[in-house]
PDB file of all heavy atoms in Angstrom:
ATOM      1  N   LEU U  52     -12.093 -36.548  58.280  1.00 98.00           N
ATOM      2  CA  LEU U  52     -11.697 -35.114  58.548  1.00 98.00           C
ATOM      3  C   LEU U  52     -11.661 -34.797  59.986  1.00 98.00           C
ATOM      4  O   LEU U  52     -12.473 -35.175  60.829  1.00 98.00           O
ATOM      5  CB  LEU U  52     -12.751 -34.192  57.988  1.00 98.00           C
ATOM      6  CG  LEU U  52     -12.833 -34.128  56.355  1.00 98.00           C
ATOM      7  CD1 LEU U  52     -13.990 -33.314  56.042  1.00 98.00           C
ATOM      8  CD2 LEU U  52     -11.497 -33.472  55.859  1.00 98.00           C
ATOM      9  N   LEU U  53     -10.464 -34.320  60.461  1.00 97.00           N
ATOM     10  CA  LEU U  53     -10.218 -34.309  61.900  1.00 97.00           C
ATOM     11  C   LEU U  53      -9.861 -32.955  62.324  1.00 97.00           C
ATOM     12  O   LEU U  53      -8.734 -32.432  61.942  1.00 97.00           O
ATOM     13  CB  LEU U  53      -9.108 -35.306  62.163  1.00 97.00           C
ATOM     14  CG  LEU U  53      -8.481 -35.502  63.516  1.00 97.00           C
ATOM     15  CD1 LEU U  53      -9.469 -35.920  64.561  1.00 97.00           C
ATOM     16  CD2 LEU U  53      -7.246 -36.373  63.587  1.00 97.00           C
ATOM     17  N   ASP U  54     -10.551 -32.396  63.168  1.00 95.00           N
ATOM     18  CA  ASP U  54     -10.196 -31.133  63.845  1.00 95.00           C
ATOM     19  C   ASP U  54      -9.042 -31.448  64.813  1.00 95.00           C
ATOM     20  O   ASP U  54      -8.994 -32.609  65.363  1.00 95.00           O
ATOM     21  CB  ASP U  54     -11.499 -30.657  64.593  1.00 95.00           C
ATOM     22  CG  ASP U  54     -11.224 -29.437  65.343  1.00 95.00           C
ATOM     23  OD1 ASP U  54     -10.415 -28.604  64.884  1.00 95.00           O
ATOM     24  OD2 ASP U  54     -12.007 -29.059  66.443  1.00 95.00           O
ATOM     25  N   ILE U  55      -8.214 -30.506  65.075  1.00 91.00           N
ATOM     26  CA  ILE U  55      -7.096 -30.741  65.917  1.00 91.00           C
ATOM     27  C   ILE U  55      -7.338 -30.310  67.451  1.00 91.00           C
ATOM     28  O   ILE U  55      -7.206 -30.926  68.432  1.00 91.00           O
ATOM     29  CB  ILE U  55      -5.834 -30.000  65.472  1.00 91.00           C
ATOM     30  CG1 ILE U  55      -5.372 -30.711  64.153  1.00 91.00           C
ATOM     31  CG2 ILE U  55      -4.635 -30.240  66.513  1.00 91.00           C
ATOM     32  CD1 ILE U  55      -5.089 -32.294  64.267  1.00 91.00           C
ATOM     33  N   GLN U  56      -8.045 -29.090  67.521  1.00 91.00           N
ATOM     34  CA  GLN U  56      -8.448 -28.654  68.810  1.00 91.00           C
ATOM     35  C   GLN U  56      -9.788 -29.213  69.217  1.00 91.00           C
ATOM     36  O   GLN U  56     -10.829 -28.794  68.740  1.00 91.00           O
ATOM     37  CB  GLN U  56      -8.559 -27.106  68.809  1.00 91.00           C
ATOM     38  CG  GLN U  56      -7.250 -26.374  68.808  1.00 91.00           C
ATOM     39  CD  GLN U  56      -7.324 -24.901  68.754  1.00 91.00           C
ATOM     40  OE1 GLN U  56      -7.932 -24.219  67.764  1.00 91.00           O
ATOM     41  NE2 GLN U  56      -7.036 -24.194  69.860  1.00 91.00           N
ATOM     42  N   LEU U  57      -9.729 -30.296  70.025  1.00 94.00           N
ATOM     43  CA  LEU U  57     -10.811 -31.048  70.340  1.00 94.00           C
ATOM     44  C   LEU U  57     -10.986 -31.115  71.965  1.00 94.00           C
ATOM     45  O   LEU U  57      -9.959 -31.061  72.590  1.00 94.00           O
ATOM     46  CB  LEU U  57     -11.030 -32.449  69.892  1.00 94.00           C
ATOM     47  CG  LEU U  57     -11.170 -32.536  68.382  1.00 94.00           C
ATOM     48  CD1 LEU U  57     -10.799 -33.998  67.955  1.00 94.00           C
ATOM     49  CD2 LEU U  57     -12.695 -32.172  67.953  1.00 94.00           C
ATOM     50  N   PRO U  58     -12.171 -31.126  72.570  1.00 94.00           N
ATOM     51  CA  PRO U  58     -12.207 -31.208  74.027  1.00 94.00           C
ATOM     52  C   PRO U  58     -11.664 -32.631  74.364  1.00 94.00           C
ATOM     53  O   PRO U  58     -11.947 -33.668  73.649  1.00 94.00           O
ATOM     54  CB  PRO U  58     -13.638 -31.159  74.197  1.00 94.00           C
ATOM     55  CG  PRO U  58     -14.424 -31.564  73.019  1.00 94.00           C
ATOM     56  CD  PRO U  58     -13.422 -31.146  71.905  1.00 94.00           C
ATOM     57  N   GLY U  59     -10.869 -32.676  75.567  1.00 93.00           N
ATOM     58  CA  GLY U  59     -10.355 -34.055  75.929  1.00 93.00           C
ATOM     59  C   GLY U  59      -9.259 -34.287  75.003  1.00 93.00           C
ATOM     60  O   GLY U  59      -8.229 -33.725  75.017  1.00 93.00           O
ATOM     61  N   MET U  60      -9.409 -35.503  74.396  1.00 95.00           N
ATOM     62  CA  MET U  60      -8.324 -35.991  73.502  1.00 95.00           C
ATOM     63  C   MET U  60      -8.160 -35.142  72.274  1.00 95.00           C
ATOM     64  O   MET U  60      -9.160 -34.757  71.537  1.00 95.00           O
ATOM     65  CB  MET U  60      -8.908 -37.443  73.132  1.00 95.00           C
ATOM     66  CG  MET U  60      -7.778 -38.284  72.380  1.00 95.00           C
ATOM     67  SD  MET U  60      -8.646 -39.830  71.998  1.00 95.00           S
ATOM     68  CE  MET U  60      -7.202 -40.838  71.698  1.00 95.00           C
ATOM     69  N   ASP U  61      -6.881 -34.561  72.051  1.00 93.00           N
ATOM     70  CA  ASP U  61      -6.696 -33.699  70.996  1.00 93.00           C
ATOM     71  C   ASP U  61      -6.677 -34.365  69.622  1.00 93.00           C
ATOM     72  O   ASP U  61      -6.531 -35.685  69.570  1.00 93.00           O
ATOM     73  CB  ASP U  61      -5.590 -32.602  71.144  1.00 93.00           C
ATOM     74  CG  ASP U  61      -4.188 -33.174  71.010  1.00 93.00           C
ATOM     75  OD1 ASP U  61      -4.124 -34.375  70.523  1.00 93.00           O
ATOM     76  OD2 ASP U  61      -3.282 -32.522  71.445  1.00 93.00           O
ATOM     77  N   GLY U  62      -6.594 -33.565  68.467  1.00 94.00           N
ATOM     78  CA  GLY U  62      -6.618 -34.340  67.185  1.00 94.00           C
ATOM     79  C   GLY U  62      -5.298 -35.058  66.865  1.00 94.00           C
ATOM     80  O   GLY U  62      -5.347 -36.178  66.269  1.00 94.00           O
ATOM     81  N   HIS U  63      -4.189 -34.755  67.497  1.00 94.00           N
ATOM     82  CA  HIS U  63      -2.894 -35.373  67.264  1.00 94.00           C
ATOM     83  C   HIS U  63      -3.044 -36.860  67.904  1.00 94.00           C
ATOM     84  O   HIS U  63      -2.736 -37.780  67.332  1.00 94.00           O
ATOM     85  CB  HIS U  63      -1.781 -34.684  67.807  1.00 94.00           C
ATOM     86  CG  HIS U  63      -1.348 -33.435  67.235  1.00 94.00           C
ATOM     87  ND1 HIS U  63      -1.429 -32.195  67.821  1.00 94.00           N
ATOM     88  CD2 HIS U  63      -1.110 -33.134  65.886  1.00 94.00           C
ATOM     89  CE1 HIS U  63      -1.271 -31.214  67.009  1.00 94.00           C
ATOM     90  NE2 HIS U  63      -1.023 -31.707  65.790  1.00 94.00           N
ATOM     91  N   ALA U  64      -3.697 -36.907  69.139  1.00 96.00           N
ATOM     92  CA  ALA U  64      -3.782 -38.088  69.761  1.00 96.00           C
ATOM     93  C   ALA U  64      -4.834 -39.038  69.048  1.00 96.00           C
ATOM     94  O   ALA U  64      -4.736 -40.272  68.965  1.00 96.00           O
ATOM     95  CB  ALA U  64      -4.265 -37.830  71.264  1.00 96.00           C
ATOM     96  N   VAL U  65      -5.857 -38.309  68.501  1.00 98.00           N
ATOM     97  CA  VAL U  65      -6.834 -39.151  67.706  1.00 98.00           C
ATOM     98  C   VAL U  65      -6.208 -39.622  66.481  1.00 98.00           C
ATOM     99  O   VAL U  65      -6.474 -40.953  66.139  1.00 98.00           O
ATOM    100  CB  VAL U  65      -7.982 -38.254  67.444  1.00 98.00           C
ATOM    101  CG1 VAL U  65      -9.057 -38.978  66.488  1.00 98.00           C
ATOM    102  CG2 VAL U  65      -8.799 -37.635  68.539  1.00 98.00           C
ATOM    103  N   ALA U  66      -5.494 -38.869  65.704  1.00 97.00           N
ATOM    104  CA  ALA U  66      -4.778 -39.374  64.565  1.00 97.00           C
ATOM    105  C   ALA U  66      -3.777 -40.621  64.897  1.00 97.00           C
ATOM    106  O   ALA U  66      -3.813 -41.573  64.273  1.00 97.00           O
ATOM    107  CB  ALA U  66      -3.881 -38.304  64.013  1.00 97.00           C
ATOM    108  N   ARG U  67      -3.064 -40.477  66.024  1.00 97.00           N
ATOM    109  CA  ARG U  67      -2.145 -41.483  66.393  1.00 97.00           C
ATOM    110  C   ARG U  67      -3.062 -42.805  66.585  1.00 97.00           C
ATOM    111  O   ARG U  67      -2.685 -43.928  66.319  1.00 97.00           O
ATOM    112  CB  ARG U  67      -1.322 -41.167  67.563  1.00 97.00           C
ATOM    113  CG  ARG U  67      -0.247 -40.208  67.274  1.00 97.00           C
ATOM    114  CD  ARG U  67       0.828 -40.064  68.385  1.00 97.00           C
ATOM    115  NE  ARG U  67       0.205 -39.380  69.503  1.00 97.00           N
ATOM    116  CZ  ARG U  67       0.176 -38.124  69.678  1.00 97.00           C
ATOM    117  NH1 ARG U  67       0.779 -37.284  68.784  1.00 97.00           N
ATOM    118  NH2 ARG U  67      -0.303 -37.562  70.761  1.00 97.00           N
ATOM    119  N   ALA U  68      -4.159 -42.630  67.300  1.00 98.00           N
ATOM    120  CA  ALA U  68      -5.092 -43.757  67.742  1.00 98.00           C
ATOM    121  C   ALA U  68      -5.587 -44.476  66.494  1.00 98.00           C
ATOM    122  O   ALA U  68      -5.752 -45.714  66.266  1.00 98.00           O
ATOM    123  CB  ALA U  68      -6.135 -43.483  68.644  1.00 98.00           C
ATOM    124  N   LEU U  69      -5.940 -43.582  65.522  1.00 98.00           N
ATOM    125  CA  LEU U  69      -6.558 -43.951  64.163  1.00 98.00           C
ATOM    126  C   LEU U  69      -5.493 -44.832  63.445  1.00 98.00           C
ATOM    127  O   LEU U  69      -5.795 -45.823  62.824  1.00 98.00           O
ATOM    128  CB  LEU U  69      -7.060 -42.884  63.298  1.00 98.00           C
ATOM    129  CG  LEU U  69      -8.311 -42.117  63.804  1.00 98.00           C
ATOM    130  CD1 LEU U  69      -8.444 -40.880  63.056  1.00 98.00           C
ATOM    131  CD2 LEU U  69      -9.545 -43.079  63.637  1.00 98.00           C
TER     132      LEU U  69
END
Side-chain angles (χ1 to χ4, degrees):
L52 290 173
L53 175 62
D54 181 29
I55 295 300
Q56 286 181 290
L57 289 166
M60 192 177 195
D61 76 9
H63 295 118
V65 175
R67 286 191 292 270
L69 288 168

